[in-house]
Amino acid sequence: MATSAAARRLASLSELACLVADGAATTRSTLMNATGLSRAAIAQRVDLLIERGVLVEAGPAAVERGRPPFTLDLASDQVLVAGVDLGATHGRLALTTLGGRVLAESARELDINEGPERILGLVREDLARLCAEAGRGTEALRAIGIGVPGPVESVTGTVVRPPIMQGWDGHRVPAFFEDGFAAAAVLVDNDVNMMAFGEYVHRRESEHLLYIKVGTGIGCGIVSGGVPHRGASGAAGDIGHIRLPGHDEAPCHCGNTGCVEAVASGSALAAALRAEGLEAHHAGDVVRLVSEGHPVARRQVRLAGQRLGEVLASLVSFHNPDTIVIGGVLAQLHEDLLADIRGVIYRRALPLATRSLKIETSVLGEHAGVVGSARLAARHLLSPSGIGAFIDR
């Protein structure tokens, strides 16, 4: 019974902190209206959250008459979180306040196939350096979100049989940060899930969002009801290996043939352009050739949009999202890619599913992953378990 009461108390504290963080209720009276709790219960919980460094009184609210109440805000300057976006060839980091204000950031080129010891060692060095740049010790860092380009068992942060991350299979990423960052919770997820949440944070009106990364490969991040959806074992959104009929001759690195990634990804388009005699080695070259007006490159991108649209039309009918965001390197092509994706989706999916559907390119671009990683780390600190860690300090 005591355990149940403690769990309810933490859930209530988490609810209050999240209402303040989202701007939905920022005074004691509006928190009362939002939660139905009494004035005394709100005062007791808010005072505790202020004492533990979760909330602060930010200043008087604007009112037409009477004594203005103090507004509440996150105690951003006391707690730091970090977002880490690891790709096949890049690493981006951002150190932020609990409220999302960026204090320091960095980017570097890397090769993910150098293995976890090398790559995570670089991340650990960069995190320590960013803390120093912000004038804070590493003990102020309370949560680290890390996105990696492979399948992840999110509960344990273990990478599972990644196709492009040599030497990472079975590696439990959080364990690497126990030395030097013991105060920080480490959350690890597939990079596309992090990107999806980053876009959601900047599109709060979109409760059901699909983020489609079209780069070297193809992946999908899902936000449903404002919450990342990972499925039973963390494999939700692996759309790159959905089979497209009529492409059995196209081998995929997963071992099958006819996958949409094998015919519509940046690497597949680069291979098709090389076969046409053009200089194209990766997705960036495809973007360059289209931007230079090469008709063969534009035709290949339109075909890729149609093929990707076939898969997305099925997802629209199945999941009924309100927003599809196209990101990754090929998203730079904007209308060259979107026109054909939109055309197939609107033609193939049911009118009810597309009536209010928005299909857009990313507003965050290459920063989607690091923003999403940092915001998911911050959300963890405001969850019941995260609030519990504050209370127990």
Side-chain angles (χ1 to χ4, degrees), residues 163-230:
I164 65 168
M165 300 173 68
Q166 296 177 20
W168 289 76
D169 184 27
H171 190 84
R172 184 173 172 270
V173 175
F176 194 88
F177 295 89
E178 292 173 356
D179 181 18
F181 296 92
V186 180
L187 297 85
V188 186
D189 209 336
N190 180 269
D191 60 349
V192 187
N193 290 338
M194 296 298 198
M195 294 171 185
F197 193 72
E199 289 289 335
Y200 163 73
V201 168
H202 285 73
R203 305 168 185 264
R204 286 298 177 87
E205 75 285 355
S206 301
E207 284 293 297
H208 303 280
L209 179 147
L210 299 181
Y211 178 92
I212 312 300
K213 180 185 177 183
V214 190
T216 301
I218 294 175
C220 174
I222 306 167
V223 175
S224 184
V227 178
H229 174 73
R230 302 179 178 90

Side-chain angles (χ1 to χ4, degrees), residues 25-45:
T26 58
T27 65
R28 286 169 170 80
S29 60
T30 54
L31 287 172
M32 287 172 53
N33 295 333
T35 63
L37 292 172
S38 68
R39 183 181 301 275
I42 289 292
Q44 187 269 335
R45 287 163 172 77

Side-chain angles (χ1 to χ4, degrees), residues 105-174:
E105 55 188 327
S106 68
R108 68 159 76 222
E109 294 182 356
L110 53 79
D111 181 358
I112 200 72
N113 291 316
E114 290 184 356
E117 295 294 326
R118 167 65 176 164
I119 299 303
L120 296 180
L122 293 174
V123 170
R124 191 161 57 186
E125 291 175 9
D126 287 346
L127 286 175
R129 178 172 51 79
L130 292 182
C131 287
E133 288 180 9
R136 306 294 296 275
T138 56
E139 70 279 356
L141 188 57
R142 297 300 305 278
I144 305 170
I146 304 177
V148 299
V152 176
E153 183 184 63
S154 59
V155 174
T156 63
T158 303
V159 181
V160 182
R161 300 186 65 182
I164 65 168
M165 300 173 68
Q166 296 177 20
W168 289 76
D169 184 27
H171 190 84
R172 184 173 172 270
V173 175

Side-chain angles (χ1 to χ4, degrees), residues 13-95:
L13 290 168
S14 172
E15 181 185 13
L16 296 180
C18 288
L19 285 169
V20 172
D22 291 341
T26 58
T27 65
R28 286 169 170 80
S29 60
T30 54
L31 287 172
M32 287 172 53
N33 295 333
T35 63
L37 292 172
S38 68
R39 183 181 301 275
I42 289 292
Q44 187 269 335
R45 287 163 172 77
V46 168
D47 287 346
L48 180 60
L49 290 171
I50 291 174
E51 177 189 335
R52 290 297 191 267
V54 180
L55 299 181
V56 293
E57 289 187 324
V63 293
E64 293 183 1
R65 62 179 182 273
R67 182 179 179 182
F70 279 96
T71 59
L72 299 166
D73 202 351
L74 293 176
S76 290
D77 292 336
Q78 297 189 36
V79 176
L80 303 184
V81 300
V84 180
D85 174 32
L86 295 178
T89 59
H90 75 269
R92 294 188 182 88
L93 289 80
L95 186 69

